[in-house]
Amino acid sequence: MDLLLAAVLALLAIAAATAFAPKLGVAAPLLLVLVGLGVGLLPVVPAFEVDPEWIIAGVLPPLLYSAAVSMPAMEFRRDFGAISGLSVVLVVVTSVLLGLLFAWLIPDLGIPAGIALGAIVSPTDAVATSIVKRLGVSPRVVAMLDGESLLNDASALVLLRSAIAGMAATVSLWSVAGSFVYSVVLAAVIGVVIGWVNLRVRARVMNPTVNTVISFTMPFLASIPAEHFGASGLVAAVVAGLVTGRGAAKFLSPQHRLSDAQNWRTVELVLEGAVFLIMGLELTAIVDDVETAHSGAWHAAGLAAIALAATILIRAAYVAPLFAGLARRAKRAESIREFIRTKQQTHPGAAIPVHPKASPAQADRMRSMFRRRVADIDYYLDERLGWREGTIVVWAGMRGVVTLAAAQTLPSDTPNRSLLVFIAFLVAIGSLLIQGGTLPWLVRWVMPTRDPEDGAAERRELRHVLQSAAMAELAGSEDPAIRAMAERMRAAWQLSNQEGVGEDADDELAEVEGADASAGAAPPAERAPGAEPEAGPRRLVDPERVRQLRLRMIRAQRDALLDARDEGRFSAASLSAALEDLDAEQISIELKAIE
């Protein structure tokens, strides 16, 4: 009963923190840490400790899977070089440098134990970086931080295992490198297989509730086999999520995707809130242990402050040349774009390289790849990265649940274990409180306000893509009423485009459907013999045919959006909003048909 009461109170605390944090101007994770710390200080609350394996194996896979599903695959691909550098190279450099620092500051610690602590505090956290998404930061920066936090856990945990083995002098550099490659490659293969099977199986399940239940098992179906074979379960869950997110719009129905989104948001809210609440609850017991067995909590706090400052400085020293290289890449992209534009102006069509012996399908793929390359160049130029974005990337590299869980996996016989765990806790909590608490102010100070009209041209082009797809679907109809309707739609769209006002294809179809449903001539079979037809508008198109036509148009528009996504022609936010609108329209039409 006590455990049930604690669970209920925890859920209420998570809900309250999420509801009131925006009004207080504080991120909900930070508020939950403070709530947990305050509750843990109460005399009636016993010492609280959670087995770290529950967090690593039970909490992190679904959280990382859910984040990976919503990760924009195109943006992830475009900056994969920078993301992999932040996820692997920066983690290794930070772990080694911090290991040397800890070995110097803490007597009798040793370099392997120091590197182990460095590996614990080196990875940024996907849950912690969720704070950034609500601050209006550049989508490219958000995608880079998300990608880093999704992948750097494997690097840190492999290094941690190797450093623990190194305490017994049973590890070499080659064994560490081999273990890392094996862990990542095998996990990626397992994740791809699970993601592919996930889409194919769920595409055949018609019940949205059952479909969502199946989706809840996917992160564990990916992580458990990977861990069994010695690979990274977290990487497997992330890859499965990336594969699922990329193929969801093609294989899963709108009802399934809507159900998934709503239920996974609830899961994320509960799991994230529980993790940060546990952070605060566990801190008091660790403080007591440090006070008893070591030189005191203040000494440990000083070491944690040095460690936190060192992680920020090392991150800044790595990000500065990284962003300088990305700026040079943008300059090269600008020269390439100018060359392509010149070629297209002087020789229209000659700038698209197609081999003369290529088949039509191969030619289409070549043109698509070329358009994707051009879209990549436009992306690098439109979303330039400078010192402002670099400052946000440095300061947003907060530590969180991975650091806490990894710290508690240290063997019980590790020298100075409680001190190391306490330092890791303080680094994580300090980064959340200091960096997370000041990040909104830093964003307002550093980042210029984005002009709402910046995306107007993109919205107009996206609307044109949707209109063209709808008109192409109507063009093949032999029904005179549908062809007449298509002409009215084309005229309405041309007028709305001239006026700069968007108009959906649904408006004209709704008008026809309303006319069809109004009082009209009764069917001949239902009129008395010899009776005159009743006055009123004639039935133009059967309402069921109109609904089917609308569904075909929506499918054509969705296919056009997916093609545009594969070519990278629009931002992830615009495509996601357009797909959501199409899903909502399709669900509404299907519900009306059921009624």
Side-chain angles (χ1 to χ4, degrees):
M1 183 60 71
D2 292 339
L3 182 61
L4 177 61
L5 179 61
V8 172
L9 293 177
L11 290 175
L12 290 176
I14 293 169
T18 305
F20 290 106
K23 299 178 181 179
L24 299 176
V26 180
L30 308 181
L31 190 59
L32 285 169
V33 170
L34 296 177
V35 170
L37 181 59
V39 172
L41 292 173
L42 297 176
V44 296
V45 178
F48 189 85
E49 184 177 358
V50 174
D51 186 348
E53 287 300 323
W54 279 102
I55 297 178
I56 292 178
V59 175
L60 289 184
L63 282 178
L64 295 179
Y65 172 87
S66 179
V69 167
S70 58
M71 177 75 186
M74 187 60 66
E75 280 78 354
F76 184 82
R77 177 192 62 80
R78 283 166 167 164
D79 281 314
F80 182 74
I83 290 172
S84 59
L86 291 169
S87 305
V88 179
V89 178
L90 181 58
V91 168
V92 173
V93 171
T94 303
S95 301
V96 173
L97 293 180
L98 287 181
L100 297 175
L101 177 64
F102 289 135
W104 177 59
L105 292 175
I106 304 175
D108 303 326
L109 180 63
I111 293 179
I115 293 178
L117 181 56
I120 289 171
V121 301
S122 60
T124 58
D125 191 75
V127 178
T129 53
S130 63
I131 299 172
V132 181
K133 299 178 183 179
R134 297 185 287 269
L135 299 177
V137 178
S138 164
R140 188 177 181 186
V141 172
V142 172
M144 192 174 293
L145 290 171
D146 268 346
E148 176 195 7
S149 61
L150 287 175
L151 297 180
N152 61 10
D153 301 334
S155 307
L157 293 177
V158 169
L159 277 176
L160 176 59
R161 288 197 295 263
S162 301
I164 291 174
M167 296 179 192
T170 59
V171 70
S172 66
L173 177 61
W174 291 111
S175 65
V176 173
S179 175
F180 177 80
V181 172
Y182 171 83
S183 176
V184 172
V185 171
L186 180 58
V189 172
I190 293 174
V192 169
V193 172
I194 294 298
W196 185 88
V197 173
N198 174 29
L199 291 172
R200 269 64 180 184
V201 170
R202 293 176 58 199
R204 300 176 181 273
V205 178
M206 296 297 103
N207 189 317
T209 304
V210 175
N211 208 291
T212 301
V213 171
I214 296 175
S215 76
F216 288 157
T217 67
M218 288 302 132
F220 303 105
L221 291 177
S223 63
I224 292 175
E227 292 291 343
H228 176 73
F229 289 106
S232 171
L234 300 183
V235 170
V238 167
V239 173
L242 291 172
V243 173
T244 301
R246 178 146 185 93
K250 180 178 180 181
F251 289 94
L252 304 182
S253 70
Q255 293 88 339
H256 293 168
R257 295 198 300 276
L258 179 61
S259 176
D260 270 9
Q262 291 175 335
N263 287 285
W264 272 106
R265 276 197 292 267
T266 303
V267 171
E268 285 182 359
L269 176 65
V270 173
L271 292 181
E272 290 177 7
V275 166
F276 286 104
L277 196 59
I278 289 171
M279 284 175 62
L281 288 171
E282 290 188 330
L283 191 58
T284 53
I286 296 176
V287 170
D288 293 339
D289 191 16
V290 171
E291 288 285 357
T292 303
H294 299 281
S295 55
W298 287 110
H299 174 68
L303 294 175
I306 294 173
L308 179 58
T311 59
I312 296 174
L313 292 175
I314 295 171
R315 185 174 179 84
Y318 181 85
V319 169
L322 172 66
F323 273 50
L326 293 175
R328 291 192 297 270
R329 180 182 181 181
K331 290 182 179 179
R332 291 195 299 269
E334 189 169 15
S335 62
I336 294 173
R337 186 168 71 172
E338 289 301 321
F339 172 77
I340 293 174
R341 285 179 174 175
T342 302
K343 290 280 290 182
Q344 289 177 334
Q345 290 173 357
T346 56
H347 303 286
I352 301 180
V354 176
H355 196 277
K357 295 184 179 180
S359 66
Q362 291 174 332
D364 288 341
R365 286 196 297 270
M366 291 178 185
R367 294 188 183 96
S368 179
M369 291 175 61
F370 180 80
R371 287 191 292 267
R372 181 187 299 178
R373 177 58 179 160
V374 172
D376 289 349
I377 293 173
D378 292 338
Y379 174 79
Y380 296 137
L381 296 178
D382 295 339
E383 296 287 344
R384 293 176 184 265
L385 297 177
W387 69 269
R388 301 176 187 274
E389 291 79 10
T391 302
I392 301 302
V393 169
V394 171
W395 199 247
M398 293 168 280
R399 276 62 186 168
V401 59
V402 177
T403 292
L404 302 182
Q408 296 179 76
T409 61
L410 289 170
S412 57
D413 58 349
T414 302
N416 303 306
R417 182 183 186 278
S418 59
L419 177 63
L420 300 183
V421 174
F422 185 53
I423 290 174
F425 266 61
L426 289 183
V427 169
I429 293 176
S431 69
L432 287 172
L433 293 176
I434 297 174
Q435 294 172 255
T438 58
L439 187 59
W441 170 82
L442 181 66
V443 170
R444 289 192 297 268
W445 179 61
V446 172
M447 299 296 293
T449 304
R450 297 177 71 89
D451 188 353
E453 297 300 321
D454 287 345
E458 182 184 49
R459 289 192 296 271
R460 286 194 297 269
E461 184 180 356
L462 184 59
R463 188 167 65 247
H464 176 71
V465 169
L466 294 173
Q467 293 171 356
S468 299
M471 294 305 302
E473 184 65 27
L474 294 175
S477 177
E478 298 180 357
D479 192 316
I482 292 179
R483 288 201 301 270
M485 178 181 61
E487 291 302 321
R488 292 198 300 271
M489 289 171 58
R490 180 181 288 108
W493 276 337
Q494 290 175 350
L495 179 61
S496 66
N497 291 336
Q498 292 172 0
E499 296 177 351
V501 180
E503 182 162 334
D504 294 330
D506 188 44
D507 296 340
E508 179 65 30
L509 286 167
E511 179 182 339
V512 175
E513 188 174 7
D516 295 338
S518 64
E526 298 178 5
R527 293 200 303 264
E532 294 293 331
E534 297 179 6
R538 294 182 60 192
R539 183 177 295 273
L540 299 177
V541 185
D542 180 68
E544 180 58 28
R545 291 187 61 194
V546 173
R547 281 193 289 270
Q548 293 301 322
L549 178 62
R550 294 171 74 182
L551 291 175
R552 293 207 314 269
M553 291 172 59
I554 290 172
R555 284 192 289 270
Q557 290 175 316
R558 184 179 292 112
D559 290 341
L561 288 180
L562 294 180
D563 291 340
R565 182 196 66 179
D566 293 340
E567 294 177 0
R569 293 163 54 191
F570 302 100
S571 65
S574 297
L575 286 172
S576 178
L579 285 170
E580 288 178 1
D581 289 342
L582 291 178
D583 289 347
E585 184 181 355
Q586 180 174 339
I587 292 172
S588 175
I589 294 171
E590 292 174 348
L591 289 176
K592 289 179 181 178
I594 295 174
E595 295 174 357

